Amino acid sequence: MEEKLLQVIKAIQVESPVDKIIKQLKELIVSGELKPGDRLPAERALAEMFQVGRGYVREAILKLEFYGLLKTNPQSGTYVSGLGINILDNMITDLINFNKDDFNALIEARYYLELTSASLAAERRTEADLKEIKEAARQFEMKTKENVGAVEEDMLFHIKIAKASKNPMIESMILLLIPDLIKNIVENNVCGKNRSKQSVPQHTALLKAIESGNPKKAEAAMAEHLNDLIEISRAGFAAKQIAAKGF
């Protein structure tokens, strides 16, 4: 009885402030308070209305903008997309329900995006890009040697590589995936306590490959860096298939 009950019970999902903001914006659109083409209030005003920090408002707007539900004009502000209300309603619902907790899928998506990102960065990076990637790698190594958490520095290193790819879609997708992924890795100690120390020489090899301008070497270096993570993902998908077959 207890075993059956445990299979039925699901973990409680704690709603993030970002999802709450997206839900409220959806309600405003569906109710007609905000119509396609209407301009949103400024970030500061929205933060006061929702009683949250401006960072949460910015993240919600970026997500909605990424999926084409909001359009931002640097000169005049952020507007609701010109799509019909029914389409906006369904798309925002799908965005809210997007399964961020499928860790194996997050790893797999990030892996293939990062390989492409590294390859393009080697081909397209500028001297300014290299300087930023080097600085991010230096900050990560410094924090790691001091035995201080270097999650943000690790994130920044990968974001700088994505930026050097000169593909804004790849950069945006990596920006969306990395925070949830690293949060899962840290909270669940997925790769063990030595992951950061192992990453330092891997970052160096990746940086050298990008600097050399060799896309294949950069892709191989990124694959080596993320190898333990993709193996976890493959094992997770394999376990799901076995469970689905009832073995």
Side-chain angles (χ1 to χ4, degrees), residues 98-111 177-191 195 228-234 236-237 240:
F98 173 68
N99 186 8
K100 294 181 288 186
D101 295 321
D102 191 337
F103 187 51
N104 298 317
L106 276 171
I107 291 173
E108 187 176 63
R110 180 202 172 182
Y111 179 79
L177 289 175
I178 283 182
D180 283 325
L181 189 55
I182 291 182
K183 180 173 172 283
N184 268 286
I185 291 169
V186 172
E187 286 182 356
N188 299 302
N189 196 26
V190 171
C191 300
R195 167 100 181 135
D228 50 356
L229 286 176
I230 195 62
E231 288 302 323
I232 290 167
S233 173
R234 286 168 182 158
F237 277 118
K240 277 186 180 180

Side-chain angles (χ1 to χ4, degrees), residues 43-89:
E43 272 183 19
R44 186 186 298 278
L46 284 171
E48 289 174 3
M49 288 162 60
F50 293 129
Q51 296 186 341
V52 296
R54 286 180 67 179
Y56 291 122
V57 172
R58 193 173 298 116
E59 187 178 343
I61 289 173
L62 281 171
K63 281 192 174 184
L64 290 168
E65 188 179 4
F66 177 77
Y67 287 98
L69 304 173
L70 294 178
K71 303 285 183 186
T72 297
N73 183 317
Q75 279 76 41
S76 56
T78 302
Y79 296 81
V80 179
S81 170
L83 297 169
I85 288 175
N86 286 338
I87 295 174
L88 285 169
D89 183 9

